[in-house]
Amino acid sequence: MLLLGCHVNFNKDSQVLGSLEQALSYGATTFMFYTGAPQNTVRGKIKLDKVEEAKALMKDYSLDYSKVVVHAPYIINLANSKDQEKYQFSIDFLKQELKRCEELEVFQIVLHPGSHIGLGRDVGIQNIINALNEVLQDSKVTILLETMAGKGTELGVSIDDIKEIIDGVHHKKHIGICLDTCHLNDAGYDVSHFDEILDEIDEKIGLSFLGCVHINDSKNPRESHKDRHENFGLGTIGFHSLLDIVYNKRLDDVPKILETPYVDREFPPYRYEIEMIKKREFDENLIENIKKQVL
Ligand code: FE
Ligand code: FE
Ligand code: ZN
């Protein structure tokens, strides 16, 4: 079965069951969510009964709960140690996120490696390694380092960056990679030759480390270092290149997650994008057609 999902909400009442129901309503077979607002660290208690209900419902649909993914909030920055207090806060908050993942029985969490904010690449990377070694000490959850577009002083922009971090992490069982097609494009990779990217990962790190792929088109040309996602097929990557990635045999067991923008910042596009992907037929009027159906 095609392992294709999208980013969904998580609210404090329905929790992961609500997230799953939303994903199912889009025709998704997996999903990704933040355990609270991505831009802050306010987090409520995980309701274990909702976890059980979600697992049971997925089983009814013959879907695999073990492929569900959490995304860490982007205020966590493990690269910047200039303010020791903030650095330690990022580490402690990430530890708590891992605990929440354990309670949710979600065993992979996507993390932006961090931005060095003037400390320089090498210091930033060492900070990330040190932080990960502390955080992962007795973790049951795998941290998937996301490849970034290279906005500002972001790290993890190349496969070599990611390799350097993973090489420094002692707990190899609980570290991995999340590719983001928009970020790869904006960082300078040619995602229309995705097998070459997978080959490079396999040679340098090992393809078994790949735990998730974010499927997004990009509003900007290759190597623009911008990180602005576009709807499936409507950006500079285009429908056929993205479709090839979704259906790449080497990614069969890897959850592929859409993080494409809401239409008019209001309407989730995922049901329509997933439908288009399943039909394998490009709808150049995707946005107009979504509006027609929701308005
Ligand atoms: Fe991300
Ligand atoms: Fe992403
Ligand atoms: Zn992005």
Side-chain angles (χ1 to χ4, degrees), residues 52-72:
E52 290 311 316
E53 284 177 63
K55 279 164 60 188
L57 183 56
M58 276 191 100
K59 216 170 167 193
D60 288 346
Y61 279 82
S62 305
L63 301 177
D64 188 355
Y65 189 82
S66 76
K67 297 291 181 182
V68 174
V69 183
V70 160
H71 197 307

mmCIF file of all heavy atoms in Angstrom, residues 52-72:
data_model
loop_
_atom_site.group_PDB
_atom_site.id
_atom_site.type_symbol
_atom_site.label_atom_id
_atom_site.label_comp_id
_atom_site.label_asym_id
_atom_site.label_seq_id
_atom_site.Cartn_x
_atom_site.Cartn_y
_atom_site.Cartn_z
ATOM 1 N N GLU A 52 -4.773 4.312 22.267
ATOM 2 C CA GLU A 52 -5.312 2.964 22.039
ATOM 3 C C GLU A 52 -6.402 2.985 20.968
ATOM 4 O O GLU A 52 -6.461 2.115 20.106
ATOM 5 C CB GLU A 52 -5.867 2.373 23.351
ATOM 6 C CG GLU A 52 -4.786 2.021 24.374
ATOM 7 C CD GLU A 52 -3.625 1.198 23.802
ATOM 8 O OE1 GLU A 52 -3.890 0.244 23.035
ATOM 9 O OE2 GLU A 52 -2.459 1.521 24.092
ATOM 10 N N GLU A 53 -7.279 3.992 21.053
ATOM 11 C CA GLU A 53 -8.357 4.094 20.053
ATOM 12 C C GLU A 53 -7.797 4.324 18.647
ATOM 13 O O GLU A 53 -8.283 3.750 17.668
ATOM 14 C CB GLU A 53 -9.313 5.239 20.415
ATOM 15 C CG GLU A 53 -10.262 4.904 21.558
ATOM 16 C CD GLU A 53 -11.133 6.104 21.919
ATOM 17 O OE1 GLU A 53 -11.930 6.545 21.068
ATOM 18 O OE2 GLU A 53 -11.000 6.603 23.053
ATOM 19 N N ALA A 54 -6.773 5.160 18.562
ATOM 20 C CA ALA A 54 -6.166 5.441 17.248
ATOM 21 C C ALA A 54 -5.519 4.176 16.683
ATOM 22 O O ALA A 54 -5.673 3.860 15.495
ATOM 23 C CB ALA A 54 -5.139 6.566 17.364
ATOM 24 N N LYS A 55 -4.814 3.448 17.540
ATOM 25 C CA LYS A 55 -4.166 2.217 17.077
ATOM 26 C C LYS A 55 -5.202 1.216 16.565
ATOM 27 O O LYS A 55 -5.018 0.582 15.525
ATOM 28 C CB LYS A 55 -3.348 1.590 18.216
ATOM 29 C CG LYS A 55 -1.995 2.242 18.406
ATOM 30 C CD LYS A 55 -1.346 1.898 19.736
ATOM 31 C CE LYS A 55 -1.116 0.411 19.915
ATOM 32 N NZ LYS A 55 -0.655 0.120 21.300
ATOM 33 N N ALA A 56 -6.314 1.097 17.313
ATOM 34 C CA ALA A 56 -7.373 0.155 16.926
ATOM 35 C C ALA A 56 -8.014 0.576 15.603
ATOM 36 O O ALA A 56 -8.248 -0.260 14.719
ATOM 37 C CB ALA A 56 -8.424 0.072 18.031
ATOM 38 N N LEU A 57 -8.254 1.889 15.464
ATOM 39 C CA LEU A 57 -8.889 2.372 14.230
ATOM 40 C C LEU A 57 -7.973 2.148 13.025
ATOM 41 O O LEU A 57 -8.433 1.753 11.945
ATOM 42 C CB LEU A 57 -9.238 3.862 14.376
ATOM 43 C CG LEU A 57 -9.980 4.512 13.207
ATOM 44 C CD1 LEU A 57 -11.278 3.765 12.879
ATOM 45 C CD2 LEU A 57 -10.292 5.989 13.497
ATOM 46 N N MET A 58 -6.685 2.368 13.220
ATOM 47 C CA MET A 58 -5.753 2.123 12.108
ATOM 48 C C MET A 58 -5.746 0.654 11.721
ATOM 49 O O MET A 58 -5.698 0.310 10.545
ATOM 50 C CB MET A 58 -4.342 2.598 12.454
ATOM 51 C CG MET A 58 -4.174 4.084 12.180
ATOM 52 S SD MET A 58 -2.473 4.671 12.255
ATOM 53 C CE MET A 58 -2.010 4.752 10.530
ATOM 54 N N LYS A 59 -5.813 -0.197 12.733
ATOM 55 C CA LYS A 59 -5.842 -1.632 12.472
ATOM 56 C C LYS A 59 -7.074 -1.998 11.628
ATOM 57 O O LYS A 59 -6.980 -2.792 10.691
ATOM 58 C CB LYS A 59 -5.862 -2.398 13.801
ATOM 59 C CG LYS A 59 -5.065 -3.673 13.751
ATOM 60 C CD LYS A 59 -4.914 -4.279 15.125
ATOM 61 C CE LYS A 59 -4.387 -5.701 15.000
ATOM 62 N NZ LYS A 59 -4.510 -6.421 16.264
ATOM 63 N N ASP A 60 -8.213 -1.393 11.972
ATOM 64 C CA ASP A 60 -9.444 -1.622 11.196
ATOM 65 C C ASP A 60 -9.234 -1.298 9.714
ATOM 66 O O ASP A 60 -9.830 -1.916 8.844
ATOM 67 C CB ASP A 60 -10.592 -0.735 11.709
ATOM 68 C CG ASP A 60 -11.109 -1.219 13.061
ATOM 69 O OD1 ASP A 60 -10.770 -2.361 13.442
ATOM 70 O OD2 ASP A 60 -11.825 -0.449 13.730
ATOM 71 N N TYR A 61 -8.427 -0.273 9.471
ATOM 72 C CA TYR A 61 -8.170 0.145 8.088
ATOM 73 C C TYR A 61 -6.941 -0.550 7.492
ATOM 74 O O TYR A 61 -6.460 -0.166 6.436
ATOM 75 C CB TYR A 61 -7.961 1.664 8.034
ATOM 76 C CG TYR A 61 -9.248 2.464 8.038
ATOM 77 C CD1 TYR A 61 -9.926 2.750 9.223
ATOM 78 C CD2 TYR A 61 -9.782 2.950 6.842
ATOM 79 C CE1 TYR A 61 -11.104 3.491 9.228
ATOM 80 C CE2 TYR A 61 -10.947 3.686 6.824
ATOM 81 C CZ TYR A 61 -11.604 3.956 8.022
ATOM 82 O OH TYR A 61 -12.753 4.687 8.010
ATOM 83 N N SER A 62 -6.398 -1.520 8.224
ATOM 84 C CA SER A 62 -5.153 -2.218 7.823
ATOM 85 C C SER A 62 -3.993 -1.245 7.607
ATOM 86 O O SER A 62 -3.177 -1.424 6.703
ATOM 87 C CB SER A 62 -5.353 -3.039 6.542
ATOM 88 O OG SER A 62 -6.408 -3.926 6.704
ATOM 89 N N LEU A 63 -3.941 -0.201 8.430
ATOM 90 C CA LEU A 63 -2.846 0.766 8.350
ATOM 91 C C LEU A 63 -1.884 0.541 9.517
ATOM 92 O O LEU A 63 -2.249 -0.045 10.532
ATOM 93 C CB LEU A 63 -3.401 2.201 8.381
ATOM 94 C CG LEU A 63 -4.376 2.563 7.256
ATOM 95 C CD1 LEU A 63 -4.913 3.971 7.448
ATOM 96 C CD2 LEU A 63 -3.721 2.411 5.883
ATOM 97 N N ASP A 64 -0.665 1.029 9.319
ATOM 98 C CA ASP A 64 0.417 0.728 10.251
ATOM 99 C C ASP A 64 0.712 1.932 11.159
ATOM 100 O O ASP A 64 1.327 2.906 10.728
ATOM 101 C CB ASP A 64 1.660 0.354 9.419
ATOM 102 C CG ASP A 64 2.787 -0.164 10.279
ATOM 103 O OD1 ASP A 64 2.669 -0.147 11.521
ATOM 104 O OD2 ASP A 64 3.809 -0.580 9.691
ATOM 105 N N TYR A 65 0.288 1.837 12.407
ATOM 106 C CA TYR A 65 0.493 2.944 13.360
ATOM 107 C C TYR A 65 1.985 3.236 13.549
ATOM 108 O O TYR A 65 2.361 4.364 13.844
ATOM 109 C CB TYR A 65 -0.161 2.605 14.700
ATOM 110 C CG TYR A 65 -0.195 3.756 15.689
ATOM 111 C CD1 TYR A 65 -1.177 4.738 15.619
ATOM 112 C CD2 TYR A 65 0.771 3.860 16.698
ATOM 113 C CE1 TYR A 65 -1.201 5.803 16.521
ATOM 114 C CE2 TYR A 65 0.757 4.915 17.605
ATOM 115 C CZ TYR A 65 -0.235 5.882 17.510
ATOM 116 O OH TYR A 65 -0.253 6.931 18.400
ATOM 117 N N SER A 66 2.821 2.219 13.365
ATOM 118 C CA SER A 66 4.259 2.409 13.625
ATOM 119 C C SER A 66 4.918 3.341 12.598
ATOM 120 O O SER A 66 6.064 3.736 12.770
ATOM 121 C CB SER A 66 4.988 1.065 13.642
ATOM 122 O OG SER A 66 5.172 0.583 12.325
ATOM 123 N N LYS A 67 4.189 3.705 11.552
ATOM 124 C CA LYS A 67 4.753 4.614 10.538
ATOM 125 C C LYS A 67 4.386 6.083 10.794
ATOM 126 O O LYS A 67 4.815 6.969 10.047
ATOM 127 C CB LYS A 67 4.262 4.221 9.132
ATOM 128 C CG LYS A 67 4.716 2.838 8.682
ATOM 129 C CD LYS A 67 6.205 2.782 8.433
ATOM 130 C CE LYS A 67 6.617 1.395 7.951
ATOM 131 N NZ LYS A 67 8.072 1.319 7.748
ATOM 132 N N VAL A 68 3.573 6.329 11.821
ATOM 133 C CA VAL A 68 3.173 7.704 12.128
ATOM 134 C C VAL A 68 4.401 8.488 12.633
ATOM 135 O O VAL A 68 5.293 7.922 13.260
ATOM 136 C CB VAL A 68 2.042 7.696 13.181
ATOM 137 C CG1 VAL A 68 1.692 9.105 13.632
ATOM 138 C CG2 VAL A 68 0.804 6.992 12.616
ATOM 139 N N VAL A 69 4.416 9.784 12.306
ATOM 140 C CA VAL A 69 5.593 10.615 12.607
ATOM 141 C C VAL A 69 5.169 11.861 13.385
ATOM 142 O O VAL A 69 4.124 12.457 13.107
ATOM 143 C CB VAL A 69 6.262 11.081 11.282
ATOM 144 C CG1 VAL A 69 7.521 11.878 11.554
ATOM 145 C CG2 VAL A 69 6.569 9.896 10.375
ATOM 146 N N VAL A 70 6.000 12.243 14.355
ATOM 147 C CA VAL A 70 5.825 13.533 15.038
ATOM 148 C C VAL A 70 6.877 14.503 14.509
ATOM 149 O O VAL A 70 7.965 14.086 14.103
ATOM 150 C CB VAL A 70 5.942 13.359 16.580
ATOM 151 C CG1 VAL A 70 6.245 14.680 17.282
ATOM 152 C CG2 VAL A 70 4.666 12.750 17.150
ATOM 153 N N HIS A 71 6.539 15.791 14.467
ATOM 154 C CA HIS A 71 7.522 16.824 14.121
ATOM 155 C C HIS A 71 7.794 17.654 15.371
ATOM 156 O O HIS A 71 6.865 18.125 16.015
ATOM 157 C CB HIS A 71 6.972 17.705 12.991
ATOM 158 C CG HIS A 71 8.029 18.515 12.294
ATOM 159 N ND1 HIS A 71 8.903 19.336 12.980
ATOM 160 C CD2 HIS A 71 8.360 18.629 10.982
ATOM 161 C CE1 HIS A 71 9.714 19.920 12.101
ATOM 162 N NE2 HIS A 71 9.421 19.503 10.884
ATOM 163 N N ALA A 72 9.062 17.818 15.706
ATOM 164 C CA ALA A 72 9.437 18.636 16.869
ATOM 165 C C ALA A 72 9.166 20.108 16.565
ATOM 166 O O ALA A 72 9.236 20.529 15.416
ATOM 167 C CB ALA A 72 10.914 18.432 17.184
#
